Amino acid sequence: MDAMRKPFQGVLNIIRFNWHFYVIALFLVLALILVAFTFLLPLKQYILLLATLIVGSMAVSLIVSWYVYDVSNLYQLQWIDDIHNHQRILNINAGFDETSHLLKKKFPAADILSYDFYDPVKHTEVSIKRARKAYPAFAGTIQGNTHHLELPDNSMDKIFVTLAAHEVRNELERGVFFRELERVVKPTGQIYITEHLRDVPNFLAYNIGFFHFYSKSTWLKTFQQGNLTVHLEKKITPFISTFILVKNGSSS
């Protein structure tokens, strides 16, 4: 765990920014228990089983989140290749930036630019709004959009989009966004896309919540739309994948 992050910061932020889901689940569990013990129902044991499953599912998701965001090396950035001095780094977020200050600490000689594509009209999740209020933006953050990055062609050595690209829910918008990433990165540069996948481990961890993620095949299609090639895929944990992309035809 990175020294700049507090113990349990990741899992506590999940509860803090999504507390309404946990309140709803708690009321549902209490209602099921009340019904089960108030009425002499032949299905009493099944109602209690359902309540137990709901509690168990929440517990598993929080334990996995604690492992991913507080215990694993995700925020130690060990999965990032060395960044040379004075390289230009673009770090893109969707309204909640947890990594720009970590990149600056790990690579102090790099020129790091934070870019926030959050649009309150398109990106309506209340959790993002709560996160933006709780944490200040990285110094010098550019507030922009996904359809045109206000940056020159071939200007960035590395681009990072960490746990943010999935917030672009519209497929056409996502394709445009990745074409912009391809335009901005240098011919010898790399783009790091870090995401949960809609796969078996994340289904076991997050139940129906895994539908908020995209499958690997969906990401590969998106990369193709952006004229990008997967140079390397890394598994940071069984629940988190990083795709290192390069421009088509590049061997970097």
Side-chain angles (χ1 to χ4, degrees):
M1 182 178 65
D2 187 89
M4 296 180 69
R5 290 176 62 84
K6 299 176 182 178
F8 301 100
Q9 178 176 326
V11 71
L12 290 176
N13 277 342
I14 289 174
I15 298 172
R16 179 183 182 185
F17 302 147
N18 300 278
W19 59 262
H20 55 292
F21 288 124
Y22 296 98
V23 169
I24 292 171
L26 178 60
F27 273 108
L28 178 58
V29 168
L30 292 176
L32 289 171
I33 293 174
L34 181 63
V35 168
F37 283 99
T38 301
F39 302 98
L40 297 176
L41 298 176
L43 299 178
K44 178 178 179 179
Q45 65 270 31
Y46 298 107
I47 296 175
L48 292 176
L49 176 61
L50 177 59
T52 302
L53 289 175
I54 293 172
V55 172
S57 178
M58 287 193 299
V60 168
S61 69
L62 290 174
I63 290 171
V64 171
S65 296
W66 171 70
Y67 161 66
V68 170
Y69 301 119
D70 294 306
V71 177
S72 78
N73 68 359
L74 172 62
Y75 290 113
Q76 295 177 17
L77 308 184
Q78 294 176 353
W79 42 275
I80 298 176
D81 297 333
D82 288 339
I83 294 178
H84 304 298
N85 290 350
H86 310 300
Q87 281 195 327
R88 299 200 69 197
I89 310 303
L90 178 62
N91 192 37
I92 300 178
N93 68 84
F96 182 37
D97 183 359
E98 289 192 284
T99 53
S100 288
H101 66 292
L102 298 177
L103 285 166
K104 189 62 180 176
K105 179 187 177 184
K106 189 174 180 69
F107 307 107
D111 180 13
I112 297 175
L113 176 64
S114 177
Y115 189 98
D116 179 0
F117 66 69
Y118 173 75
D119 183 338
V121 176
K122 294 179 180 179
H123 314 129
T124 57
E125 287 196 27
V126 67
S127 58
I128 296 178
K129 295 180 181 179
R130 291 169 181 161
R132 288 173 67 82
K133 291 181 180 180
Y135 288 89
F138 184 73
T141 295
I142 295 175
Q143 185 68 50
N145 55 61
T146 54
H147 61 266
H148 181 64
L149 304 180
E150 299 288 342
L151 297 166
D153 296 357
N154 305 315
S155 59
M156 292 293 162
D157 293 288
K158 280 182 168 49
I159 299 176
F160 296 94
V161 192
T162 304
L163 304 175
H166 70 277
E167 298 295 350
V168 185
R169 307 306 295 178
N170 181 275
E171 181 179 357
L172 293 177
E173 180 189 0
R174 204 161 54 247
V176 171
F177 175 52
F178 273 79
R179 284 193 290 274
E180 278 294 285
L181 298 181
E182 191 273 343
R183 177 184 67 80
V184 168
V185 74
K186 291 181 179 180
T188 57
Q190 296 176 323
I191 302 169
Y192 288 66
I193 305 297
T194 300
E195 288 287 345
H196 290 275
L197 298 181
R198 189 184 296 177
D199 56 13
V200 172
N202 280 291
F203 172 72
L204 295 176
Y206 298 106
N207 205 280
I208 61 173
F210 94 134
F211 283 109
H212 187 61
F213 313 135
Y214 291 119
S215 66
K216 181 177 179 178
S217 61
T218 296
W219 283 120
L220 293 178
K221 180 180 177 182
T222 298
F223 303 155
Q224 186 178 36
Q225 291 172 341
N227 298 316
L228 295 162
T229 300
V230 178
H231 170 66
L232 184 64
E233 179 183 354
K234 294 183 178 181
K235 274 288 186 183
I236 302 176
T237 76
F239 310 98
I240 295 280
S241 299
T242 290
F243 299 94
I244 303 177
L245 311 178
V246 297
K247 292 191 177 192
N248 282 345
S250 172
S251 59
S252 60

